[in-house]
């Protein structure tokens, strides 16, 4: 049975949630703002497109490994300290990327930035400790929604910043904001006494890192064509074998790095599955919008817009992402997590139909993207509440870290599949049909419906 931690105290309690919300937005912005720049990076650094793709891949891999690691460290040594450390690494990494003139220096900066991925899970776990369960739904709903806010704002902000400055300006801005945010956390956010006294499971952590490398690295390399399908399948097969051995090892330990026994709880297992499906749907809709806006105009699909134009089309999705976490929090307090997640997933499924239809009109593309983004962010905001209410209080950080990892796995899988569909069905130098978008948004529809079924079956009625 869970027991609440003793609440922390702040001289400015009204600023705690906005400061932690800023952490979530900045941590997500650093992932998405670089995406519109990727086509320019081979020319900037004089490397191949495959080599330049590591600018995005390195951050994603480190984030997937770092989220559960920082979650465990937060449970053991203090959640606030790990948030500050992650923000400091993000600031240093951003500054290195801003001054980089070689690819290796850019990659070093992006690796350091990747540790900020876990800050949202750490922030939600900290709120659970310092505020207790009664204020959790609204606060955690808002924090989880910052993932969508940061992801949606990244593209339009990058377009505007590049127009008035340069690609380096993006990293300077993120670096300064990260440093200021670290300072704000130390001043306004109270700490909480660590509740875990577990010894560090080095073999478990190392094994999880190896599994993630073997599963996610082939996905990213398949997406850019730098790995054959056969070699990718072999690596991923080895990853699944090691994953099975790792799970057997972890379940036998009294103090494991990831407590596999918690997955016996339907809510926790279901939440992780839903996170994978949401991650897949989110990246599919995100890449679908960028692709349809930048591809040449055609009778069935294509808008032929610039990076700035892409940002403007994406702007309604960014704005609705700011509103939906609050709406989700209101429904969470009245009807609970199960109903809130079901509403978000149901709306996401319906929006996929509109996304498959509207592919030639910028206004309708923007509206369809807005509804899709709003629905997914609504579900994103509500999901962690169900997870955290079921997890032990001394494992909040690690459980949230695994949930973020599941989102990354879903996003990586979606990125690969979308990349294959785009490469095989879309000609950026000519006119293309709508087949790629029907496939992408159709898969997103399937993911939403699958998650809907799991939530209906595994989440308790309140």
């Amino acid at each position: 049975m869970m027991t609440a931690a003793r609440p922390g105290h702040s001289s400015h309690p009204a600023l705690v949630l906005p400061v932690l919300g800023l952490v979530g937005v900045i941590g997500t912005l650093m992932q998405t703002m670089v995406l519109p720049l990727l086509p320019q990076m081979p020319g900037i650094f004089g490397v191949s497109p495959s080599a330049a793709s590591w600018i995005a891949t390195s951050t994603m891999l480190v984030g997937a490994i770092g989220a559960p690691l920082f979650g465990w460290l937060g449970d053991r040594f203090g959640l606030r300290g790990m948030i500050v450390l992650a923000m400091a690494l993000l600031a240093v990494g951003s500054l290195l990327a801003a001054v980089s003139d070689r690819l290796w220096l850019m990659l070093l900066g992006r690796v350091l930035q990747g540790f900020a991925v876990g800050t949202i899970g750490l922030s939600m776990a900290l709120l659970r400790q310092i505020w207790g369960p009664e204020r959790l739904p609204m606060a955690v709903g808002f924090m989880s929604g910052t993932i969508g806010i940061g992801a949606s704002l990244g593209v339009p902000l990058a377009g505007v910043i590049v127009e008035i400055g340069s690609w380096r300006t993006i990293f300077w801005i993120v670096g300064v904001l990260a440093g200021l945010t670290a300072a704000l956390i130390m001043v306004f956010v109270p700490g909480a006494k660590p509740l875990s006294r577990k010894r560090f499971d080095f073999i478990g952590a190392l094994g999880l890192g190896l599994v993630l490398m073997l599963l996610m690295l082939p996905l990213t390399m398949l997406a850019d064509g730098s790995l054959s399908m056969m070699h990718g399948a072999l690596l991923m097969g080895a990853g699944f074998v090691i994953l099975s051995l790792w799970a057997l090892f972890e379940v036998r330990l009294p103090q494991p790095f990831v407590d596999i026994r918690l997955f016996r709880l339907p809510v926790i297992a279901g939440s992780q599955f839903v996170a994978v499906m949401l991650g897949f749907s989110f990246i599919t809709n995100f890449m679908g919008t960028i692709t349809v806006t930048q591809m040449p105009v055609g009778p069935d699909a294509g808008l032929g817009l610039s990076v700035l134009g892409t940002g403007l089309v994406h702007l309604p999705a960014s704005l609705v992402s700011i509103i939906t976490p609050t709406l989700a929090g209101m429904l969470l307090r009245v009807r609970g997590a199960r109903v809130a997640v079901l509403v978000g997933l149901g709306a996401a499924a319906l929006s996929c139909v509109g996304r498959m239809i509207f592919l030639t009109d910028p206004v309708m593309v923007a509206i369809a993207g807005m509804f899709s983004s709003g629905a997914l962010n609504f579900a994103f905001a509500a999901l962690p509440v169900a997870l955290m209410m079921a997890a032990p209080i001394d494992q909040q950080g690690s459980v949230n870290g695994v949930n973020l990892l599941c989102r990354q796995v879903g996003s990586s899988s979606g990125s690969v599949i979308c990349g294959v569909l785009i490469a095989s069905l879309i000609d950026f130098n000519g006119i293309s049909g709508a087949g790629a978008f029907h496939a992408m948004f159709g898969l997103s529809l399937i993911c939403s419906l699958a998650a809907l079924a799991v939530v209906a079956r595994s989440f308790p009625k309140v």
Side-chain angles (χ1 to χ4, degrees):
M1 181 176 179
M2 289 189 305
T3 57
R6 188 176 68 178
H9 300 281
S10 170
S11 57
H12 299 83
L15 295 178
V16 172
L17 189 58
V19 170
L20 290 178
L22 185 60
V23 170
V25 172
I26 295 174
T28 310
L29 276 177
M30 65 89 190
Q31 297 183 73
T32 56
M33 290 182 76
V34 74
L35 295 180
L37 306 177
L38 289 179
Q40 306 174 24
M41 290 301 171
I44 292 173
F45 292 106
V47 297
S48 66
S50 294
S53 69
W54 281 94
I55 294 173
T57 301
S58 58
T59 305
M60 179 187 65
L61 288 174
V62 173
I65 298 170
L69 174 61
F70 268 52
W72 188 95
L73 292 172
D75 288 334
R76 181 64 179 84
F77 299 107
L79 294 162
R80 187 183 71 161
M82 289 301 108
I83 299 172
V84 172
L85 176 59
M87 284 290 103
L89 292 174
L90 174 56
V92 173
S94 299
L95 298 180
L96 287 176
V99 301
S100 61
D101 56 358
R102 295 288 188 275
L103 181 61
W104 70 266
L105 186 57
M106 168 63 79
L107 293 179
L108 176 59
R110 293 290 289 167
V111 164
L112 294 177
Q113 286 183 319
F115 287 105
V117 170
T119 53
I120 296 175
L122 291 169
S123 298
M124 290 189 290
L126 179 60
L127 287 170
R128 173 67 179 85
Q129 288 191 15
I130 65 177
W131 280 0
E134 65 280 356
R135 299 173 66 182
L136 189 67
M138 183 70 75
V140 171
F142 173 77
M143 280 304 308
S144 186
T146 60
I147 297 176
I149 295 172
S152 299
L153 289 176
V155 173
L157 282 177
V160 172
I161 292 172
V162 170
E163 285 291 320
I164 63 177
S166 72
W167 65 269
R168 297 181 187 274
T169 310
I170 292 175
F171 293 104
W172 284 116
I173 292 175
V174 172
V176 171
L177 287 176
L180 290 175
T181 303
L184 290 173
I185 295 168
M186 297 178 68
V187 174
F188 297 115
V189 178
K193 185 179 179 180
L195 299 179
S196 174
R197 289 292 181 267
K198 295 190 299 183
R199 297 178 60 184
F200 186 63
D201 174 18
F202 179 79
I203 296 178
L206 185 64
L208 180 60
L210 179 59
V211 168
L212 292 175
M213 289 291 291
L214 289 172
L215 293 180
M216 298 186 68
L217 190 58
L219 287 176
T220 57
M221 296 180 72
L222 285 170
D224 61 28
S226 58
L227 187 69
S228 69
M229 189 67 69
M230 184 184 70
H231 289 133
L234 288 174
L235 288 174
M236 293 183 68
F240 281 113
V241 171
I242 297 176
L243 174 62
S244 301
L245 296 174
W246 173 82
L248 290 173
F249 175 79
E250 289 291 283
V251 79
R252 296 171 183 268
L253 290 182
Q255 297 181 350
F257 181 65
V258 176
D259 194 348
I260 304 296
R261 291 177 289 267
L262 290 177
F263 282 75
R264 296 171 182 168
L265 298 175
V267 176
I268 292 182
S271 296
Q272 310 301 16
F273 175 82
V274 173
V276 175
M277 297 295 101
L278 284 175
F280 187 100
S281 296
F282 193 89
I283 197 67
T284 300
N285 281 276
F286 186 81
M287 292 181 68
T289 299
I290 292 178
T291 303
V292 76
T293 52
Q294 294 188 359
M295 66 184 286
V297 177
D300 299 320
L303 303 179
L305 300 178
S306 64
V307 174
L308 180 59
T310 301
L312 293 175
V313 170
H314 204 72
L315 185 60
S318 304
L319 296 177
V320 79
S321 297
I322 300 174
I323 303 170
T324 47
T326 302
L327 298 178
M330 294 169 63
L331 185 58
L332 280 165
R333 297 184 67 178
V334 177
R335 299 299 302 274
R338 183 178 187 271
V339 172
V341 177
L342 286 174
V343 168
L345 290 172
L350 290 174
S351 70
C352 291
V353 179
R355 302 238 58 188
M356 287 188 279
I357 297 172
F358 302 113
L359 299 168
T360 57
D361 184 288
V363 175
M364 295 308 298
V365 169
I367 293 174
M370 177 186 69
F371 277 105
S372 179
S373 177
L376 290 169
N377 279 295
F378 196 98
F380 265 135
L383 180 63
V385 176
L387 179 68
M388 295 175 67
M389 294 303 292
I393 188 66
D394 63 342
Q395 297 189 50
Q396 296 284 311
S398 58
V399 167
N400 276 307
V402 173
N403 192 251
L404 290 170
L405 164 61
C406 290
R407 296 185 191 188
Q408 290 284 89
V409 170
S411 297
S412 301
S413 303
S415 177
V416 171
I417 293 175
C418 288
V420 171
L421 290 171
I422 292 169
S424 59
L425 298 176
I426 293 178
D427 180 7
F428 281 92
N429 297 313
I431 296 176
S432 304
F437 301 103
H438 292 163
M440 283 191 285
F441 298 131
L443 289 171
S444 182
L445 172 61
I446 292 172
C447 287
S448 298
L449 293 176
L452 199 69
V454 168
V455 171
R457 184 177 180 85
S458 63
F459 282 34
K461 296 180 180 180
V462 179

